Amino acid sequence: MLIAQISDIHVTPDLSSLQTLERAIDWLKTFRPDALVVTGDLVDDGWRQGYRLIAECLRSLDCPVHLLPGNGDDAFLMRSELAAVGTWAAAAGPMHFRGAVNGLILCGLDVTVAGQSYGDVLPHLHWLTSALADVKTPVLLFMHQPPFKVGIESLDQVRCRNDGALLGALEAMDRQPLAIACGHVHRPLSGRLGSIPVQTCGSLCPPNPLLLDGRADLPVADAPSFLVHDVTDAGLLSHVVSIPAPRERTTD
Ligand SMILES: [Fe+2]
């Protein structure tokens, strides 16, 4: 199974991130993943038209699409404008989702906290535990904020809280997720929560520099990127795909 993950589009009226999304979706239309998961921060500043434009773009992809909000999203606008694209576990409240593609369970946990940039998993562990109870097939778990420190202070202040409780809940299950796949960091990186791999997806808006604590803000040339999770009988491989640059116009 090939599960594409895009994250942190942060569409604004200047439309540059929307154009990056359009190039990513064009790539995916040819690639034909089995499903696409969007892990939050679709639009900045509650711009309703931005959600409409994203919905139009995502509808052109011929596969199931699952959507989580990020801390920058307006959950009400996102639900109403993307209702024809994604489905959620409940008609109101947290925007969790649970889907399946050929036996692979795709589980999205909405850990956003209204009015805050950090996330918190604690209020949602009951839902997660029941959503994954008695699961007999592989699971990929998606969240917006990652449940660990990434070494960048400004991001660590707004990480997902109560990661220990999340680990305890996951370890109590018969089958742990193959991985937890997140956004929010605007850089692809991998780590672990206990023994469970955690991968963050790059952003479709310009990536963050590698501002590791105590280190200089050195220039980097990272491009906007997304992930393709390849789930096989042997396990999971997560590929980073950089967005192709727009074609240059020629004058002759
Ligand atoms: Fe975020």
Side-chain angles (χ1 to χ4, degrees):
M1 255 85 62
L2 294 166
I3 309 301
Q5 179 189 357
I6 63 178
S7 199
D8 295 85
I9 314 165
H10 287 279
V11 163
T12 59
D14 83 359
L15 299 183
S16 58
S17 291
L18 185 75
Q19 289 159 2
T20 307
L21 173 68
E22 288 169 348
R23 295 205 305 280
I25 296 301
D26 277 348
W27 191 96
L28 289 169
K29 276 196 254 187
T30 304
F31 184 75
R32 295 192 298 117
D34 295 294
L36 169 68
V37 177
V38 184
T39 44
D41 279 357
L42 282 67
V43 170
D44 284 350
D45 302 322
W47 186 41
R48 181 184 284 273
Q49 182 66 10
Y51 288 108
R52 284 187 188 164
L53 292 167
I54 288 176
E56 196 177 310
C57 187
L58 294 180
R59 269 205 308 267
S60 68
L61 196 59
D62 187 22
C63 71
V65 177
H66 300 285
L67 302 144
L68 279 179
N71 54 292
D73 283 308
D74 181 313
F76 174 79
L77 291 180
M78 183 173 159
R79 257 190 199 276
S80 56
E81 296 299 336
L82 285 147
V85 178
T87 53
W88 293 280
M95 295 166 72
H96 309 311
F97 68 79
R98 186 189 186 283
V101 183
N102 297 331
L104 172 68
I105 306 293
L106 303 175
C107 184
L109 194 64
D110 175 7
V111 297
T112 58
V113 179
Q116 303 294 338
S117 294
Y118 64 84
D120 190 354
V121 75
L122 202 56
H124 310 295
L125 290 181
H126 178 72
W127 182 87
L128 180 66
T129 303
S130 32
L132 297 183
D134 303 323
V135 159
K136 301 279 188 283
T137 55
V139 175
L140 275 179
L141 176 61
F142 296 87
M143 300 164 36
H144 180 65
Q145 291 96 338
F148 57 21
K149 289 189 173 182
V150 299
I152 300 173
E153 188 181 357
S154 57
L155 288 165
D156 288 338
Q157 287 172 359
V158 294
R159 63 197 268 243
C160 181
R161 298 183 178 180
N162 289 304
D163 48 286
L166 173 62
L167 178 60
L170 293 175
E171 285 182 336
M173 295 176 185
D174 291 339
R175 178 188 278 268
Q176 279 81 54
L178 291 173
I180 303 172
C182 305
H184 192 54
V185 177
H186 296 204
R187 297 190 60 79
L189 67 88
S190 55
R192 284 187 174 275
L193 178 69
S195 62
I196 302 169
V198 179
Q199 174 79 43
T200 70
C201 183
S203 56
L204 294 194
C205 69
N208 279 332
L210 188 60
L211 287 170
L212 290 182
D213 296 345
R215 303 287 173 182
D217 181 6
L218 294 169
V220 292
D222 302 281
S225 65
F226 59 91
L227 293 175
V228 172
H229 302 288
D230 187 3
V231 181
T232 68
D233 291 342
L236 170 69
L237 292 169
S238 296
H239 299 269
V240 179
V241 181
S242 295
I243 309 296
R247 281 199 193 139
E248 301 238 340
R249 285 198 180 155
T250 53
T251 51
D252 51 344

